Amino acid sequence: PKAEMADASSRDGAAEEGVSAREAMDTAAAAWSNSLQVSPAARKQIDAADAATEAALARIVEIEMYLEASGAEVDSMASGAVPALQKHTEQLTNVFALVDKMHEHIAAVKNSVGKMETRLEAAEAANAGQLAKTWGSFMGKPAAVPPSEAVRIVSVDDFFASLKV
């Protein structure tokens, strides 16, 4: 109650002396803040916290600028690099298709060579063993029969003509 009365009397006195309500409020706020009296150690901590806050805010602004700059760089690199990568991807797709065709051709050549080796071995056995064949037929042994499966000769020209993708 006494504080309310003092408050009311100060308002009345301020109004009588020509002081506005705003000025009176500012004077009262200044007096109240002075009454709090922050110690020097606390003032140092407050100042240090203010400095750290200012430094952090400055760093945040700096990071935002770096992010904007790097975002613009990424956009420009992507707009230049992506079409080039798409072109190279198409070229690599063609190369892989050619490699697949070469693999098929090499398998056919390998199969053909295997069959030719079998026939060659049979022919060598038939020719090298002519004496044995004669002796074998004299003794009643049946003659060696070459394989009846035809050897498919793989055409290199056909292979290279098929490489067009």
Side-chain angles (χ1 to χ4, degrees):
K2 286 184 181 180
E4 290 176 9
M5 288 169 47
D7 221 11
S9 67
S10 69
R11 276 187 264 156
D12 294 338
E16 291 174 4
E17 294 176 15
V19 178
S20 70
R22 179 72 181 161
E23 290 172 341
M25 182 63 87
D26 288 343
T27 305
W32 181 74
S33 67
N34 286 337
S35 70
L36 291 178
Q37 297 202 5
V38 177
S39 70
R43 175 55 54 202
K44 285 182 182 178
Q45 289 179 347
I46 290 170
D47 291 343
D50 286 343
T53 302
E54 289 298 321
L57 290 173
R59 182 70 178 140
I60 288 171
V61 168
E62 185 180 329
I63 290 171
E64 286 175 343
M65 289 184 343
Y66 283 134
L67 285 175
E68 288 175 10
S70 63
E73 287 178 24
V74 167
D75 290 342
S76 68
M77 285 190 299
S79 65
V82 169
L85 288 175
Q86 286 175 334
K87 179 182 175 188
H88 291 299
T89 301
E90 292 169 6
Q91 291 172 345
L92 284 174
T93 301
N94 292 338
V95 168
F96 287 131
L98 292 174
V99 168
D100 289 343
K101 284 187 176 186
M102 288 179 81
H103 175 73
E104 293 170 6
H105 178 72
I106 289 171
V109 168
K110 192 175 186 180
N111 186 23
S112 180
V113 168
K115 289 178 183 177
M116 284 191 280
E117 284 179 350
T118 303
R119 290 188 132 214
L120 180 61
E121 288 171 2
E124 285 175 346
N127 290 335
Q130 194 64 11
L131 182 58
K133 182 179 175 184
T134 306
W135 179 257
S137 63
F138 180 67
M139 298 301 284
K141 283 187 174 180
V145 179
S148 62
E149 187 178 338
V151 175
R152 179 178 168 262
I153 306 290
V154 178
S155 169
V156 176
D157 293 334
D158 290 344
F159 167 70
F160 284 110
S162 74
L163 288 182
K164 295 178 183 156
V165 177

